[in-house]
Structure formats: structure tokens, C-alpha cells
Amino acid sequence: MDDRKSTKTFVSLSIVLLIFLSLSSMSSAQIIAPEGPGLDWEKPESHRLFLKGDSGDPYLDNNWSSLTGQPIGSIDFQKTAGPVNLIDIQSAPLENDLDFNGNITIHLFASLDVANDGCRFTNVLPDSPLGSETKFSVSLSLGSNQVLSDIQTNSIIMEESFTLAHEFFVNANDINVSLQKGDLISLKIDVLHDCVQTGVLWWDTYDAITGIEFKGELINPELDQTVDPNGIIRVEFTPNSPWGNDLYISQVLEVIGPVEWEDLIHGNADEDTRLDHFETPHGYRIDELNRTVFTWSSPNKLSPGKYMVDSCYKLSDQDPGESCSLVGVLRFEVLKSEPAFLNGSWAAILIPLGIIAWIGVSMKDAMLPLPAYGVILLLALTTLGPALNLPDIDYEEPRMQGAAPSFSLYEHGSESELVELSELMSNYDAIVVGLFTPSSPNAEVQRVDFEIAKKVIGNDVAFVQIATGDGVNSLDLEGLVDKINGSWPVLMDDSDSTVGKSFPSRASDAVFVIDSAGFISSWKAGVMSSQSIEDAVDLSYRGSGQSPLSIFGLILSTTFLPLIILAMPRGDKYKLPESPLIPGAGFVLTLYAASIGFALWALPVALFSSFGLGSYWIFIELFLSLLLVYHGMSMLLRGGVKEIEIIGKLIYSKLPDEYRNWRKENRFLDDFHLGLWVAWLLWLRAPSAIPQAIGAVARSGILGILICILFFVGYSLMAGLVVILSGVIISIPGDISRIMGSLSVGLRPRAWGLVCVILGIWISISIIIGPLMIIL
């Protein structure tokens, strides 16, 4: 007997377990994991037009009433001998075309005006003069399409009041109609009431939703996204609806990721993957079909990975108790940026290979001691730092560090004046440029930030907005120009987005602060707050953070490592001066020679920027890169730069005899060249250091001229200190350093010349096929 009970218990538990597992598998099967990018919508099964208004002025709209209690709308009717018209109305004209394929139900809620069942007692013979039933006759037309024509609803013996209204309905199935914008929906309701008690047709409350129900797809919303080159996402939502945008009460959109495709499901995101949250649109635009498009833009950059825009919308014709009437999930992938044709790591490979090849060729003529070649290989290794910081070589790659790209664009408006960067530089202390793509919500955000910043900064700073990117249209700028009202010009880039592509952000939303010398002081993708603009402008007056002290930071990096090898002594032992010299005379002579060598390079660069040649700086930088090639070739072929040697010898000849007797000319020229290499290495690492610290400051006024002179002297002295520090470091090993230096004394300058040739060619190619290719 116990075995039977155990068996029954086991079978019962097994059945329950199987049922549970089958239900679990069914529920999990309903959620299909996505496998790639795409757009999925969860749309309502039906949409409604509700009867609204009072008995004297009824109308149709799509707002679900949430009121309870006495219905707002009602109309009485008495016992009649035939049909009596109650409602004959039309909807507002459709705001968009509509293709509808589905079923339609007319819902009517009615009852007696008293809570009793008197009609039931008098219903002696239904459907006869002795009956007491009520029914309605309905006619419905969609545009020119007559869908229902005096079709009668179900018959009901009415009782109760509005608290328990009876539902009358009539169906129209398999409707397939096309309506055009401006068409009307017409509804006619007649009543046949056989009861002597007064009946009432109710509407406009939560539980008496008299009106028209469309069962089928009625809306066709669109959701799209774009990610600009800076990783900033812009989301666009087009609320297609025959009733217009008012159907959409509210929306919540979230950017989720990066996660795997199977996790990109509505409502299935962890908190740490929610990157942004949108509600009220940041902006609006009108598309080519004259539809309003809601736009949002995120301040957060998206890294490569898989993402989704998870969106939830509340619709006015759906149950207000539902949290999401419409759900849209847009899955997309942010790909890794296309690798450059050649990046800096290739230069780090080419330099050692070039030096090894050059050593191999030189060995055919004469064989030097192996330690000398070890020194050259060590020099090649120290150049990896400068090489890795070189710009990429790629087609139409903008110059990331340096001057702002020159532009000459027409102002949008009736006057269409030409606005040039060079003219703005001449008339203002700084220029704030806002780039924006067509219909971007960031254009309006930039406008607001510019207005606030302009009130604080004053009229010494120019503000400009430039529309760039694909699809720039003058019509898209009308609203923005009207709001700006002449406070600053709005320019329109050409069809190829030449100006936009030349900026470091490329043709995307960004804000740039440009100093008076034409160099980018600060920039930010998307928008920049008014406070950040004020801070960046103030910083541009002081050299944009560039100063002689900034060289200290570069000393701790790999920028000046090659100088340590180049500063190796020639092999001569240190000799005490025969005549008394000032304390630290050796350091003073090195500082003097290296500072002048640095100044020979820095002075023309400082003057060019001080004279406001920033708008032509890309050509100046091309000349500098070719000059670096020339200096490298001179070192490679003859071990020194002829012009530098002439100037160095001239300066050396002016030294007092006691100093010349103690410090040989070749040692002085070595320090002279080292100062020049400090200038080149500084330019390779921070191309805008001298132009911003000296040129921009010089253009800020009389006080700026005095400050820039101090900065120039400071940079020169700092260059000399870098050379002294390099010499001190390399002298630490003592005789080993002296011996290694003497063995490689003729090889090091030529190897360094080969390095300079490679570096110069790299920079010149990057400029020619990059920024120059954009503007030519």
C-alpha cells in the first residue's frame, strides 16, 4: 500500500515538473535572441479615435480619457418609431497619408438614465412594437471610402446607469483603404430605442470609450542613429502617424552597450551598460518629406562594440495604465576606425632598419670597432619615442596639432558676406568656432552656450558657427539664423566639406577656441559649455598652456632621449683652464651655444606666428619638414649643417680668447647643433609650442610683446639646460662614455642625419596627402 502511494507521489511530481519545464521552455522560446544589427518594433495591436466633446459639439480625437465618475460627454434619446440621428461628425483632417489593412470596430456605450430594469419588464415581444430593446445604426467613411452604411449593432435591453453602461458594437472586417493627407473620417450614429425610459449614449471617460477602434498597423515610426568620427551618437525619431505628432505623448530612449547581440533586448540592460538617457528632444528638423524629426545627441563617446537604442513611447490612444505603448529597439555596431595607411609605429620600424642598412653599406668601405656600431644602434632605439609620436600618414587626414585650418566662407543670409579666418585673426583676440552637421541638435546647444559666453567675454572675441558635413542645405539654417539675429555669422561649408574635414574633429559637431595667431587653443567634440569657452579663451591669451616650463615635462618623456647619445664627448679628457674663468664656465658655454642654436630655428617660427600667418601655417609646416630633410641630408653627407657651422664659427670667434683656448671649436659647434636638435625634437612632439607661447601672446597687446620676449629667452635657455642635462647624464659612466664617444665620433652625426631625413620625409608626406589633399 505504501509503495502505491510512493509511486503515485513520484508520478505526480514528475508531471508537475514536466509541465513547469514545458512552460519555461515556451516562455523562453518567445524571446528570440537577436543575432545582428537591425530595428525591431513592438506596436499596439489597435488604435482608437474617441468620441469627445459635449452633446452640442461632439468631435473625434485620439486622446484616451482617464477621468472616472460621471462621463463628460452624453446625449439622451427617447422611444422612437424609427431611427433617430444622435451623432454625425467628422474628424480633423489627416496630417499624413494612411494605408490601412485590417478590421474596424465601432464601440458605443449606453444605458438608461435610471438604475433599474424597467425596460426588461416591458420587453413583451422583442423586435416588435411590444419590445423594449435598443440598438444603433452606424455609418463610417474613411475619406471617400464608405466602410459602413447604416449597419446595425447588437440589440440590448438596457438597464442600469453610466456606472454599468452596456457596450454596443459593430464590426467591419478586411478593410483595405488608402487615405491621403487632408482626408476626413466621418462617423454617423442613429439610435432605435423601443423602451419608454430615457436612454443615454455615454463617452469621454476611462471605462466608456465610445469611438472607433482600428485593429491593424496604423503607425509607421522610424528610428535611426549615426555615429560621427569622434564616437558621438545622434539619434533621430520620426513619429509617423495619421494623427500627427500629438499621438506621441512622451518618450524615453536609452543608449545601451557595449554588450553582445543576444543581450540587446528591450528592458534587459544592466545599469553599468546604460550610457545615456534621453526624454525631451534636444532638437527638431524637417526631413525631405516635410515630416518633423525628433533629434538627440549624446555627450558620451562610444567605443567600438555592439549597442542598442532602447526606446519606449506612450501614445495618447492607448491605455494610460501601460508604461510603454510602443517599444523600438535599434541595434547597431560601432566599428573600429579604419587603420591609417601608415601610422607612427612604421616610422619606429623604418628608422632602425634604415640605420642597420646604412651601417651595412658603410662597412664595405671601412670597418669601425663594434662598440661604435653598438652606439649607433642605441641611438636608433632612442629615436623610437619621437617616431611613435609622429602623425599618421593617411589620405585626407587632418593635422591634429597645429594651426586651425584656414577658411573663407560666405555668411548665410541676405547680405552673404565673405568671412575669412585671417581677417578674424586681425580683428579679434580669439575666435570661437562651432561646427555642426545638418539638423544636429548641437547647433542649438552651441547657440545658447555662445550667447552666454559672449555676454561675459565681450566683443574682443569672435564667434562663428559653420554648417558642415553631407547634405548641408541653406534651408536648414533659417531657424538658427533667425534665433542668432546677427549676433555672429553662420557659415555654410562647401559641398565637399573641405573646411570641416580639415579640423581635427573632421566634419562633425565640435567647438574650437582659436587664439589670435590662428592656432587651436582648445576643442571639444559636440558642444562646449559657456564656462569652458570662457576658460579656453582666457587660456589662449596666455599661450594656451604653452610656456618654457612645459619643456620640463618633455624631459621626463622620451622626446629628448636621442640627445643623450648625441651629447657623448668626442674623447678628449677634461682639462683645467690655463687662465681663470667664471665658475661653471663649461656649463655656461654649453648653455650659450645650445641656446643660440635653438634660437636660430625658433626665431623665424615665432616671427611667422606673431605676424599672423597662422592661416598659412600648413604650408609653413611643409617647408619646415623639408628643411628637416635638408638638415638631415647635410648631417648624413658631411657630418654637419653648413649654415649652422658658419653661424656657429662666427659666434665662436667673438668669444674671449681665454674661453676659445680652453673650449675647442668643434665642441662648441657640437653644442650649437644640439640646440638645433632640441628645437626639431620639440617641434616633432609639440608643433604648436613656439607659435602659441610666443606668437599668440605677442598678438595680445603691448604687454603680450614683452611677455613673448621673455618666453622666447626662456625657451632658448631651457633648450640649453636640456643639452647640459643630456651631457651630464651621458657622462655618468665616466671613461666608458668618453671611449664610446670617441669611437663613434664620426658615425653618430651621420646616423642622426639619416634619422632626420626619415622623420622629415614622414612629416612632409603626412602633410601632403593629409591636410593639403583636403584643401587642394
Side-chain angles (χ1 to χ4, degrees):
M1 189 72 178
D2 293 338
D3 292 340
R4 291 181 180 179
K5 289 183 178 180
S6 299
T7 302
K8 288 181 179 180
T9 302
F10 175 76
V11 171
S12 300
L13 290 174
S14 299
I15 293 173
V16 171
L17 181 61
L18 287 172
I19 292 173
F20 176 77
L21 290 175
S22 63
L23 291 174
S24 300
S25 62
M26 289 175 61
S27 61
S28 62
Q30 292 175 355
I31 302 176
I32 301 176
E35 298 179 352
L39 174 60
D40 296 329
W41 289 104
E42 295 179 18
K43 299 180 180 180
E45 296 181 354
S46 64
H47 293 271
R48 294 176 182 265
L49 275 179
F50 303 95
L51 185 60
K52 292 296 187 70
D54 54 32
S55 58
D57 187 23
Y59 60 91
L60 293 171
D61 77 3
N62 52 25
N63 294 315
W64 191 309
S65 299
S66 58
L67 297 174
T68 57
Q70 177 74 35
I72 296 175
S74 65
I75 189 168
D76 298 344
F77 50 84
Q78 306 294 331
K79 179 178 177 66
T80 61
V84 174
N85 180 255
L86 297 179
I87 299 292
D88 190 357
I89 56 175
Q90 293 179 321
S91 70
L94 297 186
E95 296 191 18
N96 291 296
D97 296 345
L98 170 63
D99 292 323
F100 178 73
N101 187 359
N103 302 325
I104 296 177
T105 299
I106 309 297
H107 298 271
L108 306 174
F109 289 83
S111 67
L112 300 179
D113 64 351
V114 292
N116 62 50
D117 54 359
C119 289
R120 186 181 301 278
F121 295 142
T122 59
N123 189 31
V124 179
L125 187 61
D127 293 327
S128 74
L130 299 178
S132 297
E133 295 180 332
T134 302
K135 57 187 174 182
F136 296 89
S137 178
V138 177
S139 297
L140 175 67
S141 61
L142 306 179
S144 58
N145 305 282
Q146 188 71 39
V147 176
L148 297 172
S149 181
D150 294 328
I151 303 300
Q152 294 185 350
T153 66
N154 50 314
S155 297
I156 296 178
I157 305 171
M158 292 200 305
E159 56 188 55
E160 298 297 341
S161 63
F162 69 87
T163 57
L164 287 174
H166 305 278
E167 181 180 8
F168 299 81
F169 59 87
V170 60
N171 294 319
N173 299 322
D174 299 325
I175 305 300
N176 189 356
V177 295
S178 294
L179 282 75
Q180 303 297 318
K181 178 180 179 180
D183 284 346
L184 305 175
I185 295 177
S186 301
L187 177 65
K188 179 185 176 185
I189 302 174
D190 295 338
V191 65
L192 290 91
H193 182 57
D194 292 335
C195 181
V196 295
Q197 290 182 307
T198 300
V200 184
L201 178 66
W202 307 101
W203 66 81
D204 210 359
T205 193
Y206 183 84
D207 50 358
I209 47 176
T210 293
I212 308 169
E213 180 182 13
F214 298 85
K215 299 176 181 179
E217 191 167 300
L218 201 71
I219 59 175
N220 185 29
E222 297 177 11
L223 185 64
D224 198 6
Q225 60 77 33
T226 55
V227 179
D228 70 15
N230 298 300
I232 302 297
I233 184 174
R234 188 170 84 185
V235 181
E236 294 189 344
F237 172 65
T238 307
N240 291 330
S241 161
W243 324 128
N245 297 341
D246 292 340
L247 178 67
Y248 297 83
I249 302 175
S250 63
Q251 58 279 319
V252 175
L253 297 86
E254 292 184 319
V255 180
I256 310 295
V259 295
E260 295 304 316
W261 291 124
E262 57 267 21
D263 297 322
L264 296 177
I265 300 172
H266 171 67
N268 188 41
D270 295 330
E271 190 62 34
D272 57 349
T273 63
R274 301 176 187 268
L275 303 181
D276 222 323
H277 180 96
F278 302 136
E279 293 189 21
T280 304
H282 296 163
Y284 304 89
R285 73 175 181 89
I286 304 299
D287 67 5
E288 60 277 3
L289 300 178
N290 201 34
R291 302 176 301 182
T292 299
V293 180
F294 298 170
T295 60
W296 295 266
S297 182
S298 171
N300 301 315
K301 295 184 179 181
L302 302 186
S303 58
K306 303 175 181 65
Y307 297 84
M308 73 171 173
V309 177
D310 190 5
S311 59
C312 167
Y313 310 86
K314 294 202 72 171
L315 306 181
S316 63
D317 67 345
Q318 301 300 309
D319 191 335
E322 297 180 3
S323 58
C324 285
S325 310
L326 172 69
V327 173
V329 176
L330 174 62
R331 300 181 304 277
F332 61 97
E333 185 173 6
V334 177
L335 301 175
K336 293 182 179 179
S337 57
E338 291 290 332
F341 179 68
L342 288 174
N343 57 37
S345 59
W346 282 102
I349 296 173
L350 287 175
I351 290 175
L353 290 179
I355 289 179
I356 292 172
W358 175 71
I359 290 175
V361 173
S362 65
M363 283 181 176
K364 295 180 181 180
D365 299 329
M367 188 71 179
L368 294 175
L370 290 180
Y373 296 111
V375 172
I376 302 308
L377 292 178
L378 185 60
L379 175 63
L381 291 177
T382 60
T383 60
L384 295 181
L388 291 173
N389 286 291
L390 291 175
D392 293 339
I393 293 179
D394 204 4
Y395 179 72
E396 293 190 346
E397 179 78 6
R399 185 82 163 131
M400 291 301 176
Q401 297 186 52
S406 179
F407 59 80
S408 179
L409 300 172
Y410 282 100
E411 179 181 358
H412 177 75
S414 57
E415 297 182 359
S416 298
E417 294 183 358
L418 186 66
V419 177
E420 298 179 335
L421 176 61
S422 57
E423 183 179 351
L424 294 175
M425 289 166 49
S426 301
N427 298 327
Y428 295 94
D429 294 338
I431 305 102
V432 181
V433 177
L435 292 182
F436 63 92
T437 50
S439 306
S440 170
N442 285 328
E444 174 63 17
V445 180
Q446 289 177 5
R447 182 191 70 81
V448 175
D449 290 333
F450 284 14
E451 280 188 349
I452 298 173
K454 186 176 176 64
K455 292 178 181 178
V456 177
I457 296 173
N459 297 325
D460 293 333
V461 176
F463 288 81
V464 176
Q465 283 186 275
I466 303 176
T468 186
D470 296 333
V472 173
N473 191 315
S474 59
L475 295 177
D476 296 334
L477 308 180
E478 295 293 343
L480 179 65
V481 171
D482 291 341
K483 292 180 180 179
I484 293 173
N485 194 27
S487 297
W488 58 81
V490 177
L491 313 180
M492 191 166 63
D493 204 353
D494 58 34
S495 57
D496 295 329
S497 303
T498 301
V499 174
K501 291 178 181 178
S502 300
F503 276 93
S505 65
R506 300 174 178 87
S508 60
D509 299 344
V511 176
F512 295 84
V513 177
I514 303 171
D515 61 32
S516 58
F519 290 82
I520 296 174
S521 174
S522 177
W523 75 278
K524 188 175 184 297
V527 297
M528 183 184 291
S529 69
S530 59
Q531 185 60 54
S532 297
I533 293 173
E534 296 168 27
D535 295 340
V537 168
D538 186 58
L539 189 63
S540 71
Y541 298 153
R542 305 192 305 271
S544 302
Q546 305 286 358
S547 72
L549 296 178
S550 60
I551 291 185
F552 274 120
L554 297 180
I555 291 175
L556 302 176
S557 68
T558 59
T559 301
F560 298 126
L561 281 181
L563 294 175
I564 298 176
I565 307 301
L566 294 174
M568 277 185 173
R570 285 178 170 266
D572 299 334
K573 290 186 177 180
Y574 179 79
K575 295 182 181 180
L576 292 173
E578 297 178 356
S579 58
L581 304 177
I582 62 172
F587 287 155
V588 173
L589 287 176
T590 298
L591 180 68
Y592 179 62
S595 297
I596 295 177
F598 177 89
L600 288 177
W601 182 95
L603 181 59
V605 173
L607 291 176
F608 288 155
S609 58
S610 300
F611 291 154
L613 299 180
S615 55
Y616 307 100
W617 204 255
I618 194 64
F619 300 100
I620 294 175
E621 287 201 305
L622 179 59
F623 170 77
L624 290 175
S625 64
L626 296 176
L627 181 62
L628 178 58
V629 175
Y630 165 70
H631 283 180
M633 289 297 297
S634 296
M635 295 295 294
L636 178 62
L637 298 177
R638 56 186 308 276
V641 181
K642 184 67 174 178
E643 295 78 11
I644 297 298
E645 289 179 350
I646 292 174
I647 298 174
K649 289 179 180 179
L650 178 62
I651 295 176
Y652 179 79
S653 66
K654 303 299 182 182
L655 293 175
D657 292 340
E658 57 270 23
Y659 287 92
R660 285 189 285 114
N661 293 333
W662 177 63
R663 174 66 62 89
K664 292 183 179 180
E665 183 183 70
N666 56 9
R667 175 68 186 278
F668 185 86
L669 293 178
D670 287 345
D671 293 337
F672 208 81
H673 278 91
L674 287 173
L676 176 66
W677 305 137
V678 172
W680 280 120
L681 290 171
L682 177 63
W683 179 69
L684 291 172
R685 182 61 182 266
S688 60
I690 297 298
Q692 286 188 314
I694 299 175
V697 174
R699 295 174 61 82
S700 62
I702 297 177
L703 181 60
I705 295 176
L706 298 177
I707 294 175
C708 83
I709 293 174
L710 294 176
F711 274 14
F712 183 83
V713 174
Y715 266 109
S716 300
L717 292 177
M718 286 301 302
L721 290 176
V722 169
V723 173
I724 292 173
L725 181 61
S726 301
V728 170
I729 293 174
I730 198 58
S731 65
I732 292 175
D735 289 342
I736 296 176
S737 173
R738 182 176 57 81
I739 294 171
M740 297 293 282
S742 64
L743 292 175
S744 60
V745 66
L747 204 58
R748 276 180 289 123
R750 287 176 168 81
W752 175 246
L754 178 60
V755 172
C756 291
V757 169
I758 296 174
L759 293 174
I761 291 176
W762 185 280
I763 294 290
S764 60
I765 293 176
S766 69
I767 291 175
I768 291 172
I769 75 169
L772 279 184
M773 188 65 71
I774 298 175
I775 63 179
L776 296 179

